[in-house]
Amino acid sequence: MEPLRIQKWISQLGLASRREAEKWIQEGRVSINGQIVRELGTKIDPQQDELAIDGKPVESKTPPLVYWMLNKPDFYLTSHKGDGGKDTVFDLPVLKNVPFKLNTVGRLDYRTEGLLLLSNDGAFIHHLTHPKYKMPRHYYALVNQKLSKDQEAEIKKGITLDDGKTGLVDIRHAQRMNLGKSQGSWYYLTVHEGRNRLVRRIFEHFDIKVVRLIRFGFGDLRLPEDLKPGEYRQLSSEEIAKLKKESQQI
């Protein structure tokens, strides 16, 4: 592993966000090999150097539990292995050198963007994705034509797909958009299931094509406007607790 900026390594270990790590460094709470570090550009070699916070060595062989939010870019798979030469989110520069295995909380398909949770806490992932808890997923969908009022009502009532009837769906028209020679429409949708390609298949049921799909919320979490595609941040302790409460873990 190549040397990393110390605040990035602290973040990758799940000890704090990069911003919090920078504050710790400036406060003189961080040391490398017994020497206090105050320069934010200082790098650490995780394979050779010893990191300590407040004088206590950080053992990185057994990684702590981490809970990250990634803004997934378009054209990335959410699996660990690529398919047909396609990149996965684990090929992104920010995740490529993470020294422990992470898993995604559910999946977003190759052409879906937005909020994707990552963790190495198996119980946390299980509860957030288990159908029993019906965690809400919130999306913006750009489609190539507007639904009729009857079609919207049918979606809310539940439609039958090849793998069964859909559960509760909240759908609202947002605005029209020019798609060149045709007019498209943006919709807000909230679904409570993690079924494969569910949002796309809801529209495809009416022969409507999804042009762009962005997940902007999971439970009470929302994708921050300043989190760029391909970047991640550590969830705060309050956000983690709220997700666990929503999925009845606490």
Side-chain angles (χ1 to χ4, degrees):
M1 176 182 290
E2 297 180 358
L4 301 171
R5 285 178 180 257
I6 191 168
Q7 59 265 42
K8 183 176 181 179
W9 179 238
I10 291 173
S11 174
Q12 287 192 357
L13 288 175
L15 300 174
S17 67
R18 290 194 198 186
R19 188 170 298 176
E20 289 173 318
E22 289 175 355
K23 185 179 179 182
W24 290 358
I25 294 168
Q26 292 169 335
E27 291 173 346
R29 297 176 58 190
V30 179
S31 64
I32 299 177
N33 301 326
Q35 298 295 314
I36 292 176
V37 175
R38 293 184 184 273
E39 294 293 327
L40 298 180
T42 302
K43 292 189 176 183
I44 184 171
D45 184 340
Q47 295 180 327
Q48 297 184 26
D49 296 327
E50 182 182 86
L51 170 68
I53 308 294
D54 295 329
K56 297 179 180 180
V58 174
E59 178 57 67
S60 60
K61 291 181 181 179
T62 302
L65 297 177
V66 300
Y67 308 88
W68 294 350
M69 176 196 297
L70 174 76
N71 186 351
K72 177 192 173 293
D74 200 359
F75 299 106
Y76 279 86
L77 297 170
T78 53
S79 59
H80 278 279
K81 293 184 179 180
D83 179 27
K86 295 177 180 177
D87 287 331
T88 81
V89 292
F90 299 102
D91 293 316
L92 290 166
V94 296
L95 299 179
K96 199 167 187 176
N97 294 316
V98 173
F100 47 82
K101 186 175 181 179
L102 286 167
N103 289 303
T104 61
V105 178
R107 292 194 173 190
L108 294 179
D109 67 40
Y110 185 63
R111 292 303 315 275
T112 301
E113 309 161 54
L115 194 161
L116 180 66
L117 296 177
L118 301 162
S119 183
N120 57 354
D121 183 341
F124 177 78
I125 294 172
H126 172 74
H127 277 78
L128 291 185
T129 55
H130 197 287
K132 174 182 176 181
Y133 300 107
K134 296 181 171 59
M135 289 293 291
R137 287 94 161 154
H138 309 284
Y139 295 86
Y140 297 123
L142 174 62
V143 298
N144 65 347
Q145 68 183 72
K146 189 179 179 182
L147 292 163
S148 68
K149 292 295 182 182
D150 288 343
Q151 289 171 333
E152 283 192 35
E154 191 175 343
I155 291 172
K156 292 176 181 178
K157 186 177 179 181
I159 59 176
T160 301
L161 303 175
D162 57 6
D163 57 353
K165 190 173 181 178
T166 58
L168 178 65
V169 178
D170 179 39
I171 182 168
R172 290 176 289 137
H173 182 255
Q175 65 181 43
R176 287 187 177 274
M177 184 173 184
N178 192 326
L179 298 177
K181 295 181 180 180
S182 61
Q183 285 286 328
S185 288
W186 279 103
Y187 283 89
Y188 298 105
L189 290 95
T190 297
V191 300
H192 296 77
E193 307 170 80
R195 289 155 68 178
N196 185 42
R197 298 184 69 255
L198 179 60
V199 173
R200 294 183 187 276
R201 290 190 291 135
I202 287 172
F203 285 104
E204 289 168 359
H205 180 78
F206 301 101
D207 294 321
I208 295 175
K209 180 182 178 182
V210 174
V211 179
R212 191 178 182 193
L213 186 59
I214 305 167
R215 184 160 75 185
F216 69 89
F218 190 101
D220 283 341
L221 278 180
R222 293 297 180 268
L223 187 68
E225 292 184 1
D226 60 353
L227 188 64
K228 297 178 181 178
E231 295 293 327
Y232 76 89
R233 72 164 174 82
Q234 167 80 0
L235 297 184
S236 68
S237 57
E238 291 81 8
E239 290 170 330
I240 296 167
K242 187 173 288 188
L243 282 173
K244 287 185 176 182
K245 185 176 181 180
E246 285 185 271
S247 63
Q248 300 183 28
Q249 280 185 266
I250 58 176

